Amino acid sequence: MSSEIVQYQADNGQEITVTEQDVRDLMAANGTTTSNVTAQEIKTYLRLCQAQRLNPFTKDAYLVKYGTNPATIIAGKETFTKRAQRNPKFRGFEAGITVIGTDGKLHRREGSMLLGGEAIVGGWCKVYIEGYEAPMYDEVSFSEYNIGKSNWLKIPATMIRKVAICHALREAFPEDLGGLYGAEEMDQAAPQQSYEEPAPQAPAAGAETVQEPPEPPAPKPIDEYKLALIRARDERGVPVKEALAKVRETISKPPEEYDEADVAAAVVIVDGLGQPEPEYEVVEEPLPLSEDDIPF
């Protein structure tokens, strides 16, 4: 396979020549271990790039592999949109986020703007295709993809919106995007401890062994709900029973069955209890004049 040369023309007209060694060099440049990648997996990647006219040197698509799991071909969101735009039936798309608002209700908003006090629960996308009466629609759960690290902490709304776009475009145009997955889609598939840690070194003779204190247990999602109940009681005088009853009006299942989205929604509801009502300025508008009001 290492002597095989794959040649084709990329979308922009550039002539591409790539070999297995080129792919291994690109993976190494990205910090990915290549020793566990098989020649067959690289061949599959090259054939997909050739069929989809993707340029591996500009990262239209790249190959990743975790441990002994099968290698995965990943593409950027721009690759998805460019592939879709190439299809003559593509008529654009709309995408946004799904949130629990400060009113405790579910809202869908176009774009990725998350407002203060809102809890993000998902992302959605509509793809318009010529000849279809309704758009191709897909919605994904934030808790399913959020790994709580990196960009998922910094820009969570942007990340889940990208996942929804990749999902919907791939379903709308399987011939153009089949086999491709966005980086944001694959974050949760990467093992969090996939790298081998170095073996502990034995202490030198006579050296004093210092035992590290145990790490505190990681907080559970439901703890955020408990803290919100305490805040409402101590800061705003809201009885815990009253707060629990208010949450049950929206979330009917018991707290021990809450998932991350349920906890986020419950926190938003409780944090809104006991807050002062916003003050509005009353402006009296003059009544319109009539002919009786003017003597001339």
Side-chain angles (χ1 to χ4, degrees):
M1 172 63 194
S2 58
S3 61
E4 180 177 343
I5 299 176
V6 177
Q7 295 179 316
Y8 57 95
Q9 190 177 72
D11 255 357
N12 61 0
Q14 180 182 358
E15 294 294 335
I16 302 296
T17 301
V18 59
T19 67
E20 177 184 336
Q21 189 57 48
D22 289 329
V23 176
R24 292 188 182 276
D25 291 343
L26 288 169
M27 293 179 69
N30 290 331
T32 304
T33 302
T34 63
S35 58
N36 57 346
V37 181
T38 67
Q40 183 59 44
E41 288 172 329
I42 292 180
K43 181 177 181 179
T44 301
Y45 165 71
L46 288 176
R47 293 308 182 194
L48 180 64
C49 288
Q50 183 182 39
Q52 300 287 5
R53 298 166 62 187
L54 301 169
N55 187 344
F57 300 106
T58 58
K59 296 184 179 180
D60 283 352
Y62 49 98
L63 194 66
V64 295
K65 180 161 181 168
Y66 301 104
T68 58
N69 294 327
T72 303
I73 300 169
I74 292 179
K77 181 179 74 68
E78 290 75 15
T79 300
F80 277 77
T81 53
K82 286 191 294 184
R83 296 280 89 71
Q85 290 167 1
R86 186 179 68 183
N87 193 301
K89 292 187 177 181
F90 178 64
R91 291 296 178 267
F93 70 87
E94 296 175 285
I97 56 175
T98 307
V99 302
I100 298 293
T102 54
D103 58 359
K105 297 180 180 179
L106 196 70
H107 301 274
R108 289 179 178 84
R109 177 183 303 129
E110 192 170 357
S112 54
M113 183 173 68
L114 185 63
L115 302 178
E118 293 181 335
I120 184 166
V121 295
W124 59 270
C125 181
K126 295 179 181 179
V127 181
Y128 295 92
I129 309 169
E130 181 183 349
Y132 284 68
E133 292 184 1
M136 179 71 71
Y137 179 82
D138 203 349
E139 188 168 17
V140 294
S141 169
F142 180 72
S143 61
E144 184 177 349
Y145 290 91
N146 174 33
I147 60 172
K149 295 183 179 181
S150 188
N151 284 337
W152 286 99
L153 279 177
K154 299 175 184 177
I155 48 173
T158 299
M159 296 293 282
I160 196 62
R161 180 176 179 270
K162 286 183 178 180
V163 172
I165 291 172
C166 292
H167 265 243
L169 288 176
R170 187 170 51 245
E171 289 190 17
F173 305 109
E175 292 185 1
D176 297 314
L177 295 167
L180 292 179
Y181 294 87
E184 298 78 15
E185 293 181 272
M186 300 308 298
D187 280 345
Q188 95 290 356
Q192 299 302 307
Q193 297 180 343
S194 58
Y195 302 100
E196 293 184 2
E197 297 182 0
Q201 300 292 325
E208 183 180 355
T209 302
V210 179
Q211 187 173 5
E212 295 291 336
E215 293 186 0
K220 300 178 180 179
I222 196 66
D223 292 339
E224 292 295 326
Y225 182 27
K226 295 177 181 177
L227 291 174
L229 292 168
I230 294 172
R231 283 196 304 270
R233 181 197 64 189
D234 296 346
E235 298 174 7
R236 303 187 299 280
V238 180
V240 172
K241 288 185 178 180
E242 178 182 324
L244 290 171
K246 195 66 177 178
V247 171
R248 279 196 294 270
E249 293 178 5
T250 303
I251 308 173
S252 58
K253 55 187 174 182
E256 56 269 19
E257 297 180 7
Y258 285 6
D259 57 22
E260 291 185 13
D262 295 326
V263 171
V267 170
V268 171
I269 295 170
V270 173
D271 283 344
L273 298 176
Q275 298 288 359
E277 293 292 332
E279 297 182 0
Y280 299 97
E281 181 181 357
V282 179
V283 179
E284 294 185 1
E285 295 186 0
L287 296 174
L289 293 174
S290 66
E291 293 182 359
D292 295 335
D293 296 318
I294 303 174
F296 57 89

